[in-house]
């Protein structure tokens, strides 16, 4: 299991982050099969608290498995399909480096 790239964090990595300078975008993707020294593997907490540089945005392209609502399946109706993850707005602070 790979660990989070943040200093002093020993939690398991759940996603890989790439900085796309041309697009001014922090791209969050599914954990890559192999580590890449040009990318950051981060844990759930550090993905959740990620803040892009001023003028940048976060784009979350992870494939998230959404389980159907138990109440809806018990009632015999189909759950509503999940909408794609929207882009997270920008915040006026820098991405912390590992």
């Amino acid at each position: 299991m790979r660990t989070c790239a943040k200093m002093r964090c020993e939690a398991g990595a759940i996603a890989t982050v790439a900085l796309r300078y041309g697009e001014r975008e922090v791209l969050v993707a599914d954990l890559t099969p192999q580590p890449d020294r040009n990318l950051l593997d981060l844990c759930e907490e550090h993905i959740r608290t990620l803040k892009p540089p001023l003028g940048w945005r976060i784009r979350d392209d992870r494939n998230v498995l959404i389980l159907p609502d138990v109440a809806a399946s018990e009632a015999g109706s189909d759950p509503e399909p999940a909408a794609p993850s929207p882009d997270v707005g920008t915040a006026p602070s820098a991405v912390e480096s590992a």
Side-chain angles (χ1 to χ4, degrees), residues 22-90:
E23 293 82 5
R24 296 183 137 197
E25 181 174 81
V26 178
L27 177 64
V28 179
D30 293 323
L31 192 63
T32 58
Q34 297 297 319
D36 182 327
R37 66 185 204 153
N38 298 309
L39 305 173
L40 294 171
D41 295 334
L42 298 178
C43 68
E44 182 175 358
E45 177 184 356
H46 287 118
I47 290 291
R48 187 171 25 86
T49 59
L50 189 65
K51 302 230 184 305
L54 184 62
W56 287 44
R57 67 185 184 126
I58 294 176
R59 188 172 113 201
D60 192 337
D61 276 357
R62 290 179 287 172
N63 293 318
V64 180
L65 175 64
I66 299 176
L67 300 176
D69 184 16
V70 174
S73 62
E74 288 176 356
S77 63
D78 292 329
E80 292 183 30
S85 176
D87 290 338
V88 178
T90 59

